[in-house]
Amino acid sequence: MEYLRARNQYLCITNLPDLPLELIFRKLKEQDDQDSFWPKCHSFLKVQNLSLKSLRIKNYELDSCMLDKLLNRFCNLHDLSLFGCKKITDSDLIKLQKVGSTLQCLSIGFCCQVTDIGIISVASYCSLLSVICFYKCSITDNGIEILAKSCKSLIEVDLQLCRDITDCGIQYISQNCRQLRALCMKGCINIVGEGLRECSNLAILDASNCGLNSTGVIEILSGVGLEYLNLSWPDIKCTTGHWPATIGLGYGANLKILDLRGCDFIEDDDIISIAKGCPLLKEWELSCCRKVGLRGWESIGLYCQNLQIIHVHGCVEFCDSGLLSIGNGCIRLSIIYMGNCNKITSDGLGAFKLQRQDVKIDNLFNARINFPSWKFT
């Protein structure tokens, strides 16, 4: 470890410059080798700093001075999270130029003082970004436009609770970020869904608590690759049109996970349309869909042959016959999350358990086995 052979001579490791030392350190896989490396190297702390790729700061008191010191120390970062650092301002984001050439993932979620001005710095210095989180930031469509035109390699964007973002901002992303795979616009009540027409590679979309309309849902589903779709708890004040049945009109053929929790206006005809049009569904969240009756449950048993998990908490019209219909038809079913379903009797439950001993019934609410993993969750 102390000496390296070079051109028939021995080179002392303590005299090597930082870059070769960093490369050597990366090659050391065993902890013992890494531990023995440091005493041989006078600049071990600098080498260690250069080797750090991910930094997630959870310090609400982080200020400009502290951020400056951290970015001076760790200058090869690929992954930086400042989530919840409420003292960070637009001017502080200029410091990202120190790590911008290597930075790929950035979270400034809950940095409430960050505005479109700060996004200009992000766009200017971090053109290689693939993941960005703006959770509850005070940004607008103008900032999103600047970012999307500079960071065209984005594959995951989190705009949760950015209430000033509209479909125009979403359209800037879909037009410029052609590799986009995951988008969260939860709680963006000014988005109706009409900006996603060109997101052909989109696989994961969280549009819960949004004010969608039928045209918007068609746009959302226009990409052939969408596999996870969360349309739960829509903002009824903003919602226009009866869009649930639209999902089943050939647009959601590749969906595997569909979350419609809290969509209290969904009726049997909607369920029938979705069950017919989404044959690949593996998990379906229907909790608090109180208007779904026997015809709807029977259609799930008839058409959802790939369904493995279903959530029916608070579905007051879910009855013994509906339960047995799902049990008879959904041959791959493994779990039913069920509670507050007053029309399910002990006799019906007993008959189902005799029929499908392989299916677990659980009263856990808010369960999500296949929930997609966001980078900065």
Side-chain angles (χ1 to χ4, degrees):
M1 279 294 300
E2 291 193 41
Y3 293 91
L4 298 177
R5 194 174 186 81
R7 295 186 180 180
N8 299 322
Q9 294 182 347
Y10 286 100
L11 180 65
C12 181
I13 196 170
T14 58
N15 295 327
L16 285 174
D18 293 334
L19 182 57
L21 286 173
E22 182 188 0
L23 295 174
I24 293 171
F25 175 70
R26 290 183 187 176
K27 294 293 184 181
L28 300 177
K29 303 300 182 183
E30 300 296 329
Q31 185 65 45
D32 289 344
D33 290 338
Q34 293 180 7
D35 292 341
S36 64
F37 177 80
W38 299 127
K40 314 298 182 184
C41 174
H42 293 306
S43 57
F44 70 90
L45 184 58
K46 186 174 182 181
V47 173
Q48 189 180 41
N49 293 342
L50 290 171
S51 301
L52 188 72
K53 303 303 179 188
S54 179
L55 181 62
R56 301 199 174 193
I57 303 168
K58 298 180 180 179
N59 183 356
Y60 293 157
E61 298 302 317
L62 183 82
D63 57 21
S64 179
C65 182
M66 295 165 66
L67 178 63
D68 195 46
K69 290 180 180 179
L70 286 169
L71 295 183
N72 281 332
R73 178 177 175 182
F74 306 113
C75 55
N76 283 333
L77 292 175
H78 290 181
D79 180 345
L80 173 64
S81 175
L82 301 174
F83 191 95
C85 297
K86 296 183 178 181
K87 292 186 176 181
I88 297 300
T89 65
D90 290 333
S91 59
D92 294 325
L93 295 184
I94 297 174
K95 299 177 176 63
L96 292 177
Q97 61 185 303
K98 298 176 181 180
V99 295
S101 61
T102 60
L103 200 63
Q104 298 172 19
C105 306
L106 173 65
S107 172
I108 48 177
F110 235 120
C111 295
C112 306
Q113 299 185 62
V114 171
T115 69
D116 290 344
I117 297 173
I119 304 309
I120 295 174
S121 296
V122 175
S124 299
Y125 303 125
C126 309
S127 60
L128 298 179
L129 281 179
S130 60
V131 177
I132 185 79
C133 172
F134 288 120
Y135 178 91
K136 216 171 184 179
C137 286
S138 300
I139 59 173
T140 71
D141 294 339
N142 294 329
I144 292 298
E145 180 182 13
I146 295 169
L147 179 80
K149 290 180 176 178
S150 298
C151 303
K152 297 191 176 186
S153 298
L154 286 170
I155 59 174
E156 180 181 319
V157 177
D158 188 345
L159 298 171
Q160 187 175 170
L161 293 176
C162 295
R163 298 186 182 276
D164 293 324
I165 301 297
T166 72
D167 287 274
C168 290
I170 299 301
Q171 189 169 19
Y172 292 136
I173 295 174
S174 64
Q175 288 176 342
N176 292 281
C177 307
R178 308 314 291 265
Q179 302 177 54
L180 188 70
R181 294 275 298 162
L183 174 64
C184 179
M185 50 191 198
K186 179 178 182 179
C188 297
I189 58 175
N190 291 313
I191 294 176
V192 300
E194 297 179 8
L196 286 165
R197 180 179 303 173
E198 299 178 51
C199 281
S200 57
N201 291 319
L202 194 65
I204 298 171
L205 176 64
D206 186 340
S208 55
N209 302 99
C210 290
L212 304 176
N213 60 26
S214 297
T215 304
V217 172
I218 291 175
E219 299 293 355
I220 285 171
L221 294 165
S222 60
V224 296
L226 197 63
E227 297 182 2
Y228 171 90
L229 178 59
N230 186 345
L231 300 177
S232 62
W233 303 112
D235 192 310
I236 304 300
K237 299 188 297 298
C238 303
T239 300
T240 59
H242 195 76
W243 50 255
T246 307
I247 300 171
L249 299 178
Y251 297 101
N254 291 309
L255 282 175
K256 295 179 181 176
I257 304 174
L258 178 60
D259 191 339
L260 298 177
R261 183 187 317 180
C263 295
D264 198 24
F265 46 84
I266 288 182
E267 299 177 345
D268 287 343
D269 288 340
D270 303 316
I271 296 296
I272 294 169
S273 176
I274 295 171
K276 287 181 178 180
C278 304
L280 300 183
L281 273 183
K282 292 184 177 180
E283 181 171 3
W284 197 349
E285 168 64 273
L286 288 169
S287 294
C288 301
C289 294
R290 298 179 177 86
K291 294 183 179 179
V292 180
L294 182 56
R295 290 174 55 239
W297 306 121
E298 288 177 338
S299 70
I300 293 174
L302 185 61
Y303 299 109
C304 297
Q305 300 301 304
N306 289 297
L307 195 66
Q308 299 174 10
I309 305 169
I310 188 168
H311 306 247
V312 294
H313 273 276
C315 294
V316 295
E317 297 300 321
F318 190 55
C319 59
D320 292 345
S321 296
L323 177 62
L324 293 172
S325 295
I326 290 175
N328 284 326
C330 301
I331 57 176
R332 292 182 173 84
L333 192 66
S334 61
I335 302 177
I336 298 177
Y337 289 104
M338 180 174 66
N340 295 323
C341 299
N342 296 331
K343 289 191 176 183
I344 297 293
T345 68
S346 56
D347 290 341
L349 197 57
F352 177 83
K353 289 181 177 179
L354 287 175
Q355 171 187 301
R356 294 297 303 270
Q357 297 180 17
D358 58 321
V359 177
K360 178 182 178 181
I361 294 181
D362 197 321
N363 63 3
L364 181 64
F365 191 54
N366 286 337
R368 178 68 64 193
I369 292 180
N370 293 315
F371 193 81
S373 176
W374 299 89
K375 176 70 177 180
F376 292 109
T377 299

